[in-house]
Amino acid sequence: MAWTREDMATLAGRDLQDGQYVNLGIGIPTLVANHLPEGVRVTLQSENGLLGIGPFPFEGEEDADLINAGKQTVTAQPGSSFFDSATSFAMIRGGHVQTAILGALQVSGHGDLANWQIPGKLVKGMGGAMDLVAGTPHVIVLTEHVSKDGTPKIVTHCDLPLTGQRCVDKIITDLAVFDVTEDGLVLRAHCADTNIDDLRAVTGAPFAVDLDPEFVGP
Amino acid sequence: MTKLRLSATELVAAHVFDGATVAVGGFGLSGNPTDLIHALRDSGAKDLTIVSNNMGVDGKGLGLLIENKQVTKVVSSYVGENKLFAEEFLSGALEVEFAPQGTLAERMRAGGAGIAGFFTKTGVGTPVAEGKQMQVFDGEEFVLERGIVADLSLVKAHRGDAEGNLVYRHTARNFNPLVATCGRVTIAEVEVYEGETYIDPDIVVTPGIFVQHVVLATPRVKDIEQRTVRPRPEGKA
């Protein structure tokens, strides 16, 4: 069995430190909020103007004026603040938000990320992703290892329009965990039901192997 | 003297023109100036350039202007929720300038603050930087982005007073304070009009100098794009 979305969120959560300011993207990254290691508390930033995202509201208490960047109704934690979009991106571009976790259409062995457009097919836009990867010191990508048609999402060179260049520090897929280094990808862990040869077959970029001996599966 | 005006329809019709650039506040459907968007649709003004983070959804928000064929160009960061928009864009009927969300916010801030352009690292090495001036500062590459000044700015605020001072509510603030600054003419739609009771100066977010006209919003149930809730714990009302 490959890792589930929850497993991937758990693995990403292990990368966060107590007290950090973190921005979570839409989809699997959002799950990280519910999969933090014990004793780790982070403050979640939502780029539409909230620092200190709380849990979803109780039924009947949802408020159209209180949403996250995925347009979901949320609540605000005690100690949170609201601000305008320019201030929000001062936090992001200025490097005050310490970790960003987001999804990918493609990610390269050197940490280039493409996640906002498939020319002629998918139009959505980059939203805040370009600012997040440009400004945040630590960028984690959470993605399925291969796309629905089986093609690798980790590639030598992204052919989709880039979101950012050499901006990704870590890639967590449903099969493996890679660090992105100056020299390219380093495999740090993989799920129990795969091996390095199989991983090479579904990974479009070369990688070195330096398995973390302390790694315990999620 | 008050900045309150009675008819959003007449007000927008008086200030918009064919070919105008209109900046509009909101994030998704949150913090949208709905009456003013309806008034913009009813004005029938054509060839508009709309500057707004999103373009609404089908049949709601700025999506109404796309359906009414009033828009030739859009400057946005994310348009993923609007099918008609995607069709018009892919068919080439609509020009779209994608701007990263933080860059878009800063471009409005700059335009409103008399700053012609600024250098940012956002978008370097991506299609967003193509054709733009680059400069290296402290060994890192930055791209020049231009400030935006709109012919007309449409803002949604929670409360406004006779001077045009505004405060916002929760995340409905989003782009609105920036949109307010970058318009040659700015109209604010408010849910509560404080008149000459005035908002406490200590909490004013947008000072009235940026706002020429205020209209009172039609009471309505606000749209929620993604209603997400959790169950109440057992035994608690």
Side-chain angles (χ1 to χ4, degrees):
Chain A
M1 280 281 289
W3 287 324
T4 64
R5 292 155 53 95
E6 283 72 21
D7 293 338
M8 292 162 67
T10 301
L11 292 171
R14 290 181 189 173
D15 229 45
L16 302 179
Q17 275 129 51
D18 193 36
Q20 274 193 326
Y21 295 102
V22 178
N23 183 294
L24 302 178
I26 296 164
I28 309 177
T30 306
L31 301 175
V32 175
N34 299 326
H35 293 82
L36 294 173
E38 217 175 295
V40 172
R41 289 184 57 182
V42 298
T43 302
L44 298 176
Q45 201 257 15
S46 191
E47 63 265 28
N48 57 317
L50 166 58
L51 186 65
I53 308 175
F56 292 138
F58 291 125
E59 208 171 334
E61 290 180 7
E62 59 272 27
D63 183 337
D65 289 343
L66 185 43
I67 61 170
N68 64 16
K71 285 112 184 174
Q72 296 172 310
T73 45
V74 292
T75 56
Q77 292 280 19
S80 63
S81 53
F82 299 118
F83 35 82
D84 67 58
S85 301
T87 306
S88 178
F89 283 92
M91 296 175 190
I92 290 167
R93 210 189 300 101
H96 307 282
V97 173
Q98 291 149 314
T99 298
I101 306 182
L102 60 179
L105 293 168
Q106 281 182 332
V107 56
S108 87
H110 288 96
D112 296 346
L113 174 67
N115 75 350
W116 69 283
Q117 198 181 16
I118 302 174
K121 249 168 106 179
L122 174 75
V123 194
K124 49 180 202 151
M126 70 290 281
M130 282 194 184
D131 306 277
L132 280 159
V133 300
T136 312
H138 190 62
V139 174
I140 304 172
V141 160
L142 283 186
T143 177
E144 305 296 330
H145 204 94
V146 298
S147 61
K148 282 187 187 118
D149 64 6
T151 52
K153 293 181 87 167
I154 301 173
V155 294
T156 306
H157 175 82
C158 296
D159 45 29
L160 294 174
L162 289 188
T163 305
Q165 225 175 9
R166 291 182 176 266
C167 56
V168 178
D169 299 292
K170 186 169 215 145
I171 304 169
I172 299 171
T173 77
D174 51 337
L175 302 179
V177 178
F178 296 96
D179 283 339
V180 184
T181 72
E182 287 289 306
D183 303 321
L185 296 178
V186 178
L187 178 71
R188 301 290 285 152
H190 59 76
C191 71
D193 321 288
T194 189
N195 58 52
I196 290 166
D197 288 339
D198 288 351
L199 274 177
R200 290 205 194 277
V202 291
T203 307
F207 58 83
V209 179
D210 181 13
L211 293 175
D212 176 0
E214 319 249 292
F215 181 83
V216 180
Chain B
M1 210 194 73
T2 171
K3 292 184 178 177
L4 184 70
R5 311 287 180 253
L6 295 180
S7 167
T9 312
E10 285 172 24
L11 191 58
V12 170
H15 287 99
V16 74
F17 50 88
D18 291 349
T21 295
V22 184
V24 186
F27 184 95
L29 293 177
S30 180
N32 282 211
T34 305
D35 284 354
L36 296 173
I37 292 170
H38 290 171
L40 189 55
R41 176 197 59 194
D42 295 344
S43 78
K46 298 243 180 289
D47 299 328
L48 299 175
T49 294
I50 301 293
V51 183
S52 184
N53 186 56
N54 312 100
M55 283 304 292
V57 301
D58 294 310
K60 275 184 180 160
L62 290 167
L64 296 171
L65 304 180
I66 307 282
E67 280 165 35
N68 215 23
K69 311 253 181 239
Q70 290 173 271
V71 183
T72 48
K73 184 180 174 184
V74 160
V75 184
S76 289
S77 87
Y78 188 87
V79 296
E81 323 295 353
N82 190 321
K83 282 198 203 84
L84 180 65
F85 183 100
E87 286 165 22
E88 298 267 313
F89 171 58
L90 291 172
S91 74
L94 195 58
E95 184 190 344
V96 181
E97 178 184 335
F98 280 111
Q101 198 173 131
T103 295
L104 183 60
E106 195 66 12
R107 288 178 67 188
M108 291 180 185
R109 200 190 71 81
I115 293 170
F118 57 91
F119 283 99
T120 175
K121 56 190 169 184
T122 300
V124 171
T126 79
V128 162
E130 277 167 22
K132 292 176 184 165
Q133 189 186 324
M134 309 297 292
Q135 192 156 326
V136 174
F137 296 91
D138 302 324
E140 195 174 356
E141 202 170 24
F142 289 74
V143 56
L144 177 66
E145 294 281 2
R146 296 290 311 271
I148 292 174
V149 177
D151 296 305
L152 178 63
S153 277
L154 305 181
V155 166
K156 172 68 189 294
H158 183 230
R159 293 187 289 138
D161 65 22
E163 287 292 329
N165 296 310
L166 304 176
V167 293
Y168 305 87
R169 188 168 174 274
H170 302 350
T171 56
R173 183 181 314 196
N174 56 63
F175 279 81
N176 282 298
L178 312 162
V179 169
T181 65
C182 80
R184 291 193 174 92
V185 174
T186 293
I187 307 175
E189 174 180 331
V190 302
E191 287 168 45
V192 179
Y193 178 64
E194 304 272 5
E196 292 180 17
T197 312
Y198 299 119
I199 296 166
D200 176 357
D202 263 338
I203 66 162
V204 167
V205 175
T206 295
I209 192 169
F210 294 113
V211 179
Q212 281 69 52
H213 308 285
V214 175
V215 297
L216 187 57
T218 309
R220 60 166 59 80
V221 177
K222 294 175 196 169
D223 292 307
I224 293 177
E225 276 179 69
Q226 307 283 339
R227 186 179 301 274
T228 44
V229 294
R230 65 188 153 135
R232 279 174 198 281
E234 293 282 324
K236 285 192 186 170

